[in-house]
Amino acid sequence: ALVSDDPSLETTVLAAFARLVLVGHDGTQLHEEIIHAGGWLRETGGSGRGTGSGVRFARIEGVEQLASILGTALDASRLRGTSGAVQARLAAAWPAASSNLLAAIEARRQTRRESLTRALDRRRDEEIERITANLGQFAASLRAAIAADEPEDGQLMLPIAELDQKRRDRAAWERRLGEIDGERDREVGLITERYRVVGDHVFPAAVRFVVPRREATRGAPAPHPWARGGRGSARGDSPPPSRRPATAGT
C-alpha cells in the first residue's frame, strides 16, 4: 500500500496489474503487454465504517486516469508506505473488493482483446502481402535469369565443363521457379492458420492500494502536547508538575 498526495484521489484506489499474452493457433506468441485495472474503495457506512469492512468497489473506467494515479504513486522519488493501522484497514477491505477487482481485470482483458484483434488482422494481411511480394520478386528474377541464358550459337564454342555448369544452373532456376507457387500457397496457409484462432492468457502480476494522505492519517493518535520539543519530551520524561499559586502565611 502506498500513500499519495495526488489531488485527483477521491478516496483509496485498489488496482491490479496483469500480463496479457496472445498466442496464435500454432503456438507462436503474437503479443504481450502489461494491463491494469482498478477502482475506488468507497465506505458504505454502518458499523464497519472506518474499519475497512464496510466498503464497495467502484471501477475507474478511465484508463488514462488510473494510469496517472498509479504513475504518481509509484514514482520512485515519492514512494511512501502506509502505517500498520492503515494496512490492517485495507486488509479488512480486501474480501469485499477482490471479486470486483478480478471482474475489472477481466473487463480490461476483453477490451484489449477486441482492440488487439483488429491490429492482429492487419498484421496478418501485411504478412501475407509481404511474403507474396517477396516470392513474386524472386520469381521475376528467376525468369529474367532464364531468359538471359537462352542458348546461343556462340555457346557451342564454350568448354564442355562450363557448358555443363550453365545447363545445370538453368535447370536449377527452372526447378526453383516451378516451386514458388506452391511455396507461396503454403506460407499463406500457415499465416492464415496462425491468426485464425488466437488465444489469450492473463497472468496476475501485482495488487496495489493507493491511499490519499488524508485517509492515511485518519484515526492516528494525536501527538502528545509535550512532544513538540524540549528536554523532557526528548527523553520521554513526564511533564513538569503543575504549579499552584503561593498562599500567604498567617
Side-chain angles (χ1 to χ4, degrees), residues 49-65:
R49 182 175 180 83
T51 66
S53 58
V55 297
R56 64 181 179 86
F57 180 92
R59 183 185 174 196
I60 299 176
E61 299 292 342
V63 176
E64 294 182 358
Q65 179 188 13

Side-chain angles (χ1 to χ4, degrees), residues 67-227:
S68 176
I69 291 172
L70 295 174
T72 300
L74 293 170
D75 184 347
S77 65
R78 293 185 284 184
L79 279 177
R80 290 185 295 274
T82 57
S83 66
V86 172
Q87 292 179 19
R89 188 165 73 237
L90 298 176
W94 173 253
S98 58
S99 60
N100 291 323
L101 179 61
L102 291 175
I105 279 288
E106 173 61 18
R108 180 59 182 158
R109 179 198 68 81
Q110 293 179 357
T111 300
R112 286 300 294 150
R113 170 63 190 263
E114 293 172 1
S115 176
L116 290 169
T117 295
R118 293 188 292 270
L120 291 177
D121 286 345
R122 290 192 298 270
R123 187 197 297 180
R124 176 203 59 207
D125 295 341
E126 291 171 357
E127 289 186 15
I128 290 175
E129 291 176 2
R130 182 167 59 252
I131 193 67
T132 300
N134 289 344
L135 290 176
Q137 292 175 0
F138 184 35
S141 298
L142 288 174
R143 293 190 187 96
I146 292 171
D149 194 53
E150 288 293 339
E152 298 178 357
D153 293 341
Q155 290 187 358
L156 298 177
M157 305 298 294
L158 293 174
I160 297 298
E162 186 175 344
L163 188 58
D164 287 344
Q165 183 61 50
K166 290 179 68 66
R167 288 170 178 169
R168 286 194 296 270
D169 291 344
R170 181 184 178 87
W173 296 338
E174 291 174 341
R175 183 173 61 253
R176 187 68 183 92
L177 181 60
E179 296 171 348
I180 287 182
D181 287 346
E183 181 178 348
R184 180 198 59 225
D185 293 342
R186 286 192 302 273
E187 290 293 333
V188 169
L190 289 173
I191 294 171
T192 301
E193 182 66 12
R194 178 178 304 142
Y195 289 89
R196 182 177 64 84
V197 179
V198 176
D200 60 276
H201 306 277
V202 175
F203 303 94
V207 173
R208 286 288 182 268
F209 289 89
V210 181
V211 184
R213 178 167 294 279
R214 63 182 179 278
E215 290 191 17
T217 58
R218 186 180 62 190
H224 194 282
W226 294 93

Side-chain angles (χ1 to χ4, degrees), residues 21-39:
V21 179
L22 300 185
V23 180
H25 189 59
D26 61 354
T28 302
Q29 181 173 312
L30 302 175
H31 181 79
E32 178 178 352
E33 69 177 58
I34 298 297
I35 60 174
H36 60 263

